[in-house]
């Protein structure tokens, strides 16, 4: 009987920890290596109003993710881009992104888990070069990265190091992302959680030999299968960047539903 009680208690702790880990949800401007269950489909959007020094862009993507196996995720992102430049408004279908993730390492312990993922984006150009990073570069482009994350019942940490390039070499960059997640509520089922996110993005652009560092402060509310989130992102450092790429700030908001 004592053994059964200990087993039950251990199982309850594991369940509670994973409820909390799932409740943290994915980072807002970053990514995480933890995947949902096989067969899940995630419908989401993460809109952004991005203000540069001399122009602004509204980015509204439709994202669909599918988990065909427990360690594989496939996705497609179709963005709509509205660009305001020189008092002219232009609307475009942005570059389509094809996403694939493969989880190659997983170590679960009581109340924490560490996982690693190989990730790739492939961009399919749909318009001329809008000079809007991620969604409007007007050329075929690839991105490869390794993503590692640790999550416990008290916090989450995610790291991503990757390299993006295109054939012409106009958009080659080295990127490092670092994010911290802080759940504010105790784990419950069905999921009900509020999360704070503190996220950094650092890019080195090879063509310009320029560097930028962005910081994003966000909040996320998860309830059941729904997640809503918002974040404000602003530059910490912008060194030797072309004027058209220098940012003032971005306002980000999103919605996610798990099928």
């Amino acid at each position: 009987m004592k053994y059964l009680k200990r087993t039950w208690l251990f199982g309850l702790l594991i369940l509670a920890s994973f409820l909390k880990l799932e409740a943290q949800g994915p980072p807002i401007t970053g990514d995480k290596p933890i995947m949902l269950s096989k067969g899940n489909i995630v419908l989401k959007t993460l809109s952004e109003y991005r203000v540069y020094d001399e122009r602004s862009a509204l980015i509204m993507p439709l994202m669909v993710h599918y988990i065909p196996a427990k360690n594989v995720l496939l996705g497609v992102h179709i963005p709509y881009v509205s660009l305001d430049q020189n008092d002219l408004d232009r609307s475009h279908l942005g570059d389509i992104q094809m996403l694939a993730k493969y989880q190659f390492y997983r170590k679960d312990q009581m109340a924490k888990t560490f996982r690693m993922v190989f990730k790739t984006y492939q961009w399919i150009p749909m318009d001329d070069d809008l000079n809007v990073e991620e969604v409007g570069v007007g050329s075929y482009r690839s991105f490869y990265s390794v993503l590692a994350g640790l999550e416990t019942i008290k916090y989450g940490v995610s790291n991503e190091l990757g390299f993006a390039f295109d054939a012409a070499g106009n958009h080659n960059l080295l990127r490092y992302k670092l994010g911290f997640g802080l759940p504010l509520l105790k784990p419950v089922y069905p999921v009900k959680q509020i999360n704070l996110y503190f996220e950094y993005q650092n890019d080195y652009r090879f063509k310009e030999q320029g560097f930028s560092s962005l910081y994003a402060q966000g909040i996320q509310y998860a309830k059941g299968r729904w997640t809503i989130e918002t974040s404000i992102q602003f530059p910490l450092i912008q060194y030797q960047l072309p004027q058209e790429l220098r940012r003032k700030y971005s306002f980000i908001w999103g919605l996610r539903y798990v099928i």
Side-chain angles (χ1 to χ4, degrees):
M1 183 63 69
K2 184 182 292 186
Y3 173 79
L4 291 177
K5 287 182 178 180
R6 288 178 178 176
T7 303
W8 177 83
L9 180 59
F10 180 79
L12 184 62
L13 289 172
I14 291 291
L15 176 61
S17 68
F18 274 92
L19 285 175
K20 186 132 184 177
L21 295 178
E22 287 297 321
Q24 285 190 32
I28 299 173
T29 64
D31 203 351
K32 67 187 294 184
I34 294 178
M35 300 182 188
L36 298 177
S37 301
K38 176 183 176 180
N40 278 138
I41 297 174
V42 181
L43 304 177
K44 59 184 295 187
T45 183
L46 189 64
S47 298
E48 177 182 358
Y49 180 64
R50 187 182 298 173
V51 179
Y52 296 92
D53 282 353
E54 299 179 343
R55 58 188 181 135
S56 63
L58 176 62
I59 305 162
M60 296 183 292
L62 172 63
M63 308 176 182
V64 181
H65 293 176
Y66 173 59
I67 297 90
K70 65 179 182 180
N71 59 346
V72 176
L73 182 146
L74 303 175
V76 59
H77 299 177
I78 304 174
Y80 166 83
V81 182
S82 178
L83 187 63
D84 182 2
Q85 187 171 12
N86 299 325
D87 296 325
L88 296 176
D89 292 327
R90 296 185 296 160
S91 298
H92 306 262
L93 179 64
D95 299 340
I96 294 176
Q97 302 174 24
M98 309 298 292
L99 166 67
K101 293 166 66 175
Y102 173 71
Q103 185 183 97
F104 62 88
Y105 181 80
R106 172 174 178 171
K107 184 176 182 180
D108 297 331
Q109 297 176 286
M110 186 163 56
K112 65 180 178 180
T113 183
F114 177 78
R115 307 184 193 186
M116 298 184 71
V117 160
F118 174 75
K119 170 181 168 183
T120 180
Y121 273 116
Q122 303 295 323
W123 280 269
I124 302 173
M126 300 301 293
D127 211 317
D128 295 333
D129 187 354
L130 306 176
N131 232 350
V132 180
E133 295 168 298
E134 311 302 330
V135 295
V137 299
S139 63
Y140 287 96
R141 191 181 183 207
S142 297
F143 178 76
Y144 299 96
S145 70
V146 174
L147 178 63
L150 170 68
E151 291 203 5
T152 75
I153 61 173
K154 294 183 178 180
Y155 61 87
V157 182
S158 63
N159 296 264
E160 183 175 11
L161 179 63
F163 176 66
F165 65 93
D166 63 345
N170 294 324
H171 304 283
N172 293 358
L173 62 82
L174 182 67
R175 170 167 293 168
Y176 173 65
K177 287 188 175 185
L178 173 64
F180 302 92
L182 179 65
L184 300 182
L185 303 178
K186 293 181 179 180
V188 295
Y189 187 82
V191 171
K192 184 179 180 181
Q193 185 59 265
I194 298 175
N195 308 297
L196 295 180
Y197 281 102
F198 313 84
E199 301 175 280
Y200 298 85
Q201 176 179 312
N202 302 285
D203 292 340
Y204 176 78
R205 305 180 65 89
F206 289 92
K207 182 179 180 181
E208 299 88 358
Q209 295 184 346
F211 175 78
S212 65
S213 179
L214 305 174
Y215 173 72
Q217 177 67 69
I219 186 169
Q220 180 186 79
Y221 176 66
K223 182 175 176 59
R225 295 177 178 268
W226 290 94
T227 302
I228 59 175
E229 53 201 3
T230 186
S231 183
I232 182 80
Q233 186 182 58
F234 54 88
L236 300 176
I237 301 172
Q238 296 187 105
Y239 174 71
Q240 285 192 193
L241 293 187
Q243 189 66 30
E244 64 270 17
L245 293 181
R246 296 181 65 87
R247 297 196 201 183
K248 291 184 177 179
Y249 65 89
S250 289
F251 178 63
I252 301 164
W253 66 99
L255 181 68
R256 182 178 78 134
Y257 180 72
V258 180
I259 300 176

